[in-house]
Amino acid sequence: MSRISGRPVTSSEHVYGLRLCIARWRAGAEGTPLLFLNGIGADLTAAAPLLAQIHGREVWTLDMPGVGASPDALLPYGASTIAAVVMEIADRLGHHILDIAGFSWGGALAQQIAMQFPGRVRRMILMATTPIMGAPGIGWGAIFDDDMQASGLKVQTATPLGIAYQTMAMAGWSSTAYLPGFKALPTLVLVGERDGVMPACYGQMLADLIDGAALEVVPGSHLFPFTHAAVVAARISAFLDPSAMGQQAAA
């Protein structure tokens, strides 16, 4: 896996009958670790150019069942189950408190984790996502994403069963009843200015429901975290550690 940007430490974890591939950049670094949760069907290789540029902390992600290097799940799973699996891995890594960034399908999972494990998420970044999942995530619609076609980026590395189980896990899911309770959780909502898969109205809905959430429009379409990785990494870093950015500006 040396081809992965930033050369993360990779490993496998067996949790509740699942074997999941984990990648960690700057493993063991000081500061609150950042967990990145990817879109439906996208693996850690696609996320690597973004995650390798987020410095000053450990950053980690994982391939969901049936995606990338993680084998298919034997049985379907729900949102609460996969949230518990992810946080069990966080416990094994020694991450009791963490920051979470979620893209598309992963943004819904990030909200589920914040609901299900109150007090364990310090800051949250939601990118190209929604509080209501009907037809979830980037799905196959991202094949026609303008930036993806221009860049040649490949994000679909999932098996048909992997895609099916990810879709089923979030079908009919909603966080709208819980988001007003996130007022103590600093949240940044990023939307792509040309996102036709998850239009900006969904980001506006998130920002309206989460008291104090910041909403920002960034360049690109649905896959902006990958196709505009440097811009997004800088914004994530500034949000996670505003005091450091303030010190740099003063200098």
Side-chain angles (χ1 to χ4, degrees):
M1 289 196 175
S2 60
R3 63 191 177 93
I4 303 176
S5 297
R7 297 181 180 272
V9 175
T10 59
S11 61
S12 291
E13 291 287 345
H14 291 77
V15 184
Y16 306 151
L18 300 173
R19 181 167 67 84
L20 302 175
C21 181
I22 316 297
R24 304 169 69 189
W25 287 259
R26 292 166 292 284
E30 295 184 1
T32 305
L34 173 66
L35 164 63
F36 176 78
L37 298 168
N38 219 333
I40 192 169
D43 68 359
L44 57 87
T45 302
L50 168 67
L51 305 186
Q53 296 184 67
I54 301 174
H55 301 285
R57 68 193 68 246
E58 177 174 333
V59 182
W60 64 286
T61 189
L62 67 160
D63 285 340
M64 290 295 158
V67 178
S70 295
D72 285 323
L74 294 177
L75 297 170
Y77 52 85
S80 60
T81 297
I82 201 65
V85 167
V86 170
M87 293 306 281
E88 171 63 23
I89 294 172
D91 286 338
R92 294 182 186 185
L93 298 180
H95 300 167
H96 181 69
I97 302 295
L98 62 155
D99 297 323
I100 295 183
F103 163 62
S104 198
W105 185 94
L109 181 56
Q111 295 169 65
Q112 177 67 36
I113 289 173
M115 292 187 292
Q116 195 168 330
F117 296 91
R120 294 197 58 181
V121 181
R122 186 187 72 113
R123 286 180 173 251
M124 181 166 63
I125 304 105
L126 302 175
M127 299 180 283
T129 193
T130 174
I132 303 172
M133 293 293 259
I138 61 175
W140 301 107
I143 293 173
F144 304 103
D145 182 273
D146 293 341
D147 286 345
M148 178 178 172
Q149 291 191 30
S151 67
L153 183 68
K154 305 295 183 184
V155 297
Q156 291 287 359
T157 62
T159 66
L161 188 61
I163 288 283
Y165 281 177
Q166 278 195 275
T167 301
M168 291 167 61
M170 289 296 178
W173 173 93
S174 175
S175 63
T176 54
Y178 297 91
L179 294 183
F182 286 5
K183 59 185 177 181
L185 174 59
T187 302
L188 173 64
V189 180
L190 299 179
V191 298
E193 62 182 351
R194 296 181 288 103
D195 190 344
V197 178
M198 200 66 69
C201 61
Y202 291 104
Q204 185 65 61
M205 191 185 306
L206 285 165
D208 289 343
L209 287 167
I210 303 173
D211 187 23
L215 174 66
E216 296 183 14
V217 179
V218 298
S221 48
H222 188 63
L223 298 177
F224 67 81
F226 305 146
T227 58
H228 294 72
V231 171
V232 175
R235 187 62 194 94
I236 289 174
S237 296
F239 175 72
L240 294 181
D241 195 359
S243 59
M245 297 305 294
Q247 292 171 5
Q248 290 179 17

